[in-house]
Amino acid sequence: MHKTITFLFILLILTGCSTATKLPRPDIKPEINAKILNEKGIVGYNANYKKNYFRLLPYFFYNENGTFNEILGDFYNVDYLIDYDINIMPGFWSEYGEYKNVLLVLISKANSKNLQLKNIPISVKSSKHGMFEVGDLTKSGFNENQQRVLFIKKLELQNKYDILNKIYDDVITVAIGGQIYKFLNPEIVID
């Protein structure tokens, strides 16, 4: 009797495991060729920008004012005012330090005595999710050799694939001392 109950219990567990529902992976649009993006004034990190979906979704820089300089690691290096440049890293991270499921924008500047990020008014807004709040860099890692400011917007996701619904048609606008930088979601459609 004891062996029969044990056998039935194991059978029940195995049956439950085999019938567990799997989330269907959504169709992901193909990556857009960098040449096509550039013709539209859009800059992407690299040709394989969707390789880390659904852990990381990097946003594109919309270079409408010709302020783009270069890619520096995970950052877009852009002109700021006349004599300066600033690094901006926008996107979605499923995990960033202790943060989970956040849109974030990390802004950094190599140490400069003439330009202090802490003294410049900065705001970050998502067209779909509203204003970002200032994040805590000690929760996400901190490079003491650079000035850095972190902005985050927490997202509620139904599952890991729901992020595509959350970012679809989203634009992140970063205002640094009155200068505007726009970032487009990686699921944009180009006509």
Side-chain angles (χ1 to χ4, degrees):
M1 179 77 167
H2 180 66
K3 288 182 181 180
T4 305
I5 291 174
T6 303
F7 175 74
L8 289 174
F9 181 71
I10 291 172
L11 185 62
L12 180 63
I13 289 173
L14 292 175
T15 304
C17 290
S18 66
T19 60
T21 58
K22 290 186 177 180
L23 294 173
R25 185 176 173 99
D27 291 330
I28 299 172
K29 296 178 181 103
E31 292 175 327
I32 301 170
N33 182 290
K35 182 179 178 183
I36 295 170
L37 288 172
N38 291 336
E39 288 172 357
K40 301 290 185 179
I42 300 168
V43 181
Y45 282 121
N46 61 42
N48 300 320
Y49 60 89
K50 292 188 179 187
K51 70 180 177 182
N52 291 318
Y53 269 33
F54 291 85
R55 186 180 58 79
L56 166 67
L57 286 80
Y59 274 49
F60 297 131
F61 178 58
Y62 183 47
N63 193 25
E64 63 186 332
N65 296 320
T67 57
F68 174 74
N69 293 321
E70 63 183 323
I71 300 290
L72 294 175
D74 293 333
F75 290 88
Y76 293 102
N77 178 265
V78 294
D79 289 333
Y80 177 68
L81 300 175
I82 297 171
D83 298 328
Y84 302 105
D85 61 318
I86 287 182
N87 302 315
I88 304 174
M89 181 180 74
F92 167 80
W93 273 256
S94 62
E95 290 186 35
Y96 189 79
E98 292 183 19
Y99 293 110
K100 308 285 187 239
N101 297 327
V102 291
L103 286 175
L104 70 83
V105 171
L106 181 60
I107 301 168
S108 77
K109 175 69 183 136
N111 282 334
S112 168
K113 293 180 181 176
N114 298 329
L115 180 67
Q116 296 292 315
L117 284 180
K118 65 183 179 184
N119 297 330
I120 301 171
I122 301 173
S123 66
V124 179
K125 183 178 182 178
S126 160
S127 62
K128 286 186 77 172
H129 305 288
M131 296 301 292
F132 285 48
E133 60 187 48
V134 176
D136 184 355
L137 282 168
T138 59
K139 291 183 177 182
S140 61
F142 179 67
N143 181 342
E144 293 182 16
N145 295 326
Q146 292 184 333
Q147 301 177 51
R148 290 191 171 199
V149 181
L150 176 67
F151 291 86
I152 62 163
K153 183 66 177 183
K154 295 178 185 178
L155 300 178
E156 296 294 326
L157 302 179
Q158 301 298 317
N159 57 58
K160 70 180 183 177
Y161 302 128
D162 189 33
I163 186 57
L164 293 183
N165 295 324
K166 300 290 186 189
I167 67 156
Y168 183 77
D169 215 22
D170 187 33
V171 175
I172 294 175
T173 302
V174 178
I176 303 174
Q179 193 157 340
I180 304 295
Y181 305 94
K182 291 184 182 176
F183 299 90
L184 312 175
N185 73 82
E187 287 294 301
I188 62 169
V189 176
I190 299 206
D191 300 327

